[in-house]
Amino acid sequence: MKILGIDASTQTAGVAIIEDEVLKSEIVINNDITHSQKLMVIIDQVFKNLDMTLDEIDGIAVTIGPGSFTGVRIGMATALGLSRAKDIPMAGISTLEALAMNNKGFNGIICPMQDARRDQIYTAFFKFENDELIRLTPDMAISIDEFIDRIEKYDESILLAGPDADKFYDRIKAMNNSDIQLVAFNLGIPRPSSVAYVSRNREFGKIIKPNYVRKSQAETSYEEIHGKSVFDD
Amino acid sequence: MKDIIILAIETSCDETSVAVIKNGREILSNVVYTQIDLHKKFGGVVPEIASRKHIEKIDLIFTQSLEESGLNFSDLDAIAVTYGPGLVGALLVGMSYAKALAFGLGIPLIPVNHIDGHIAANYLAFPDLKPPYIALIVSGGHTHIIDVLDYGEYEVLGRTRDDAVGEAFDKVARTLGFPYPGGPYIDKAAKDGNKEAIKFPRTYLEKDSFDFSFSGIKSAVLNYLNSMKMKGIEINANDVAASFQEAVVDVLVEKIIKASLKMNHKEIIIAGGVAANSHLRKRLKEEAEIHYLDVFYPPMSLCTDNAAMIGAAAYYQFKKGIFANLDLNSVPNLKL
Ligand SMILES: [Zn+2]
């Protein structure tokens, strides 16, 4: 089973192809490039690296957030177009779950975090049990204070993972006396190989839905003013 | 000659649209999903919500459009997509989808300027229309007078220096309490109003200039409404709409006629959302007749944003071999 993994949901953009449990090729770009320009180019490159075509792919796994709203949509629209062209089924993968998967082998609670601005982070808690990634909470947007409250309930080691873990590491470490560790420099960013790997035991299909976690600002203000969702009639 | 079939995608603002076009002139399908009712609740287009709707709908609209065309993937010669101007987040959805489709199907990707699409809408409605001619592009984002020299070849003779004409319509409509988008409401209200009731200024700028300015008339309307309010006089919205519309149409008509006489073209086309304005259509037709000029405007359904017009413009690029690479980016402020 060959799976194409795609991620454009944070500041990095990446593409990988895995075959069963073997990583065949992976490209990750981490600079200020616009994903819209580079994503399709590196997809093409990964296929060229392997002398392969899209026809050989059995499934497409793509990150659906949380992360950059625009980035999530670039990744998803790309996956949708590829899927439609060759009738390849898709699986939408939580960016946080893919980030947790990067740290297979860690013995404790894995907390991927992304700066969600407005004094919040996107996070969720995971742990490995018998080599399987277990989700302990849903994806959420919470404040750092709330995050600290929550991790205090665990006796185990805590791994701060994800692209923005280093930003909050000192503050969290100072306020919490349990064992807090920081993710390795190259495992904090979403890896498209992990995205593909997480999808192994997912159901693939024709529909993927974004996982923004947060409503748009306009939607929230509308609800505050009108007391109902803008999507209600 | 073999038919050229282009599948076109348009997501530059608040319409998600996919069309299949034969030889740049024939619509095989043109599916438009408009989000307008949603944005109405905010009094204008909310970019993040527009983008969210595009990603939710794009695949569905694509499938529906291909199905309606009665064709298969193997019939398609190219994928065309709007790459600007427009809302960046909205453009990116259509573009990322289009790129992946073109890559997956192994066919060329054609990057289309949205304004070029508005002009090309006329080729769908008028099979014999050919350049050269003069075009007036009037929409919420644009007010251009263009000398169309050939397919896809333009010289911009004039453009707005501040607000686009559609923007002025929307802003005035809002102050009169009409829903968004205000253009059609002004048009409707004006029919029951007296266009001589209030004398709003006409801004012609320098003699011989084909540029426009609509900020003056917009402020004049606001000032008028304020001063009436201060005096406690109730305004007649129909009269305000009619007088405002008359002033704007006066300037548009005078400049476009002048431009076509200067360039010695016999034909004028109007395009863009404001081309749907019934008063503009009527006045321009009357004025053109006096000068023995012909006026073309697309049917309503092709005036507002749609992918059919993108497919029509793309055909002429296909013939010239103007294709995009996989690193194509969206350009929100793309010029013609
Ligand atoms: Zn338009």
Side-chain angles (χ1 to χ4, degrees), chain A residues 185-201:
Chain A
F185 84 101
N186 59 339
L187 300 179
I189 54 174
R191 305 298 298 243
S193 49
S194 293
V195 177
Y197 193 80
V198 166
S199 76
R200 284 168 7 266
N201 24 26

Side-chain angles (χ1 to χ4, degrees), chain B residues 78-131:
Chain B
I79 304 291
V81 67
T82 306
Y83 76 111
L87 301 170
V88 67
L91 287 164
L92 284 170
V93 173
M95 207 194 55
S96 303
Y97 187 75
K99 266 195 207 177
L101 261 184
F103 173 85
L105 296 174
I107 55 178
L109 177 69
I110 305 176
V112 177
N113 184 315
H114 181 81
I115 308 303
D116 201 358
H118 274 303
I119 296 171
N122 286 281
Y123 300 138
L124 298 166
F126 307 102
D128 300 323
L129 177 68
K130 280 196 210 63

Side-chain angles (χ1 to χ4, degrees), chain B residues 48 66 68 82 168 333:
Chain B
E48 175 59 22
L66 189 65
E68 273 182 30
T82 306
N333 53 1

Side-chain angles (χ1 to χ4, degrees), chain B residues 10 12-13 15 85 114-115 117-118 137-142 272-273 303-306 309:
Chain B
E10 153 68 37
S12 67
C13 190
E15 266 94 24
H114 181 81
I115 308 303
H118 274 303
I137 315 292
V138 275
S139 73
H142 313 277
C303 280
T304 46
D305 290 351
N306 66 87
M309 68 186 201

Side-chain angles (χ1 to χ4, degrees), chain A residues 176-194:
Chain A
N176 188 296
N177 45 24
S178 50
D179 174 25
I180 308 272
Q181 299 178 34
L182 184 62
V183 68
F185 84 101
N186 59 339
L187 300 179
I189 54 174
R191 305 298 298 243
S193 49
S194 293

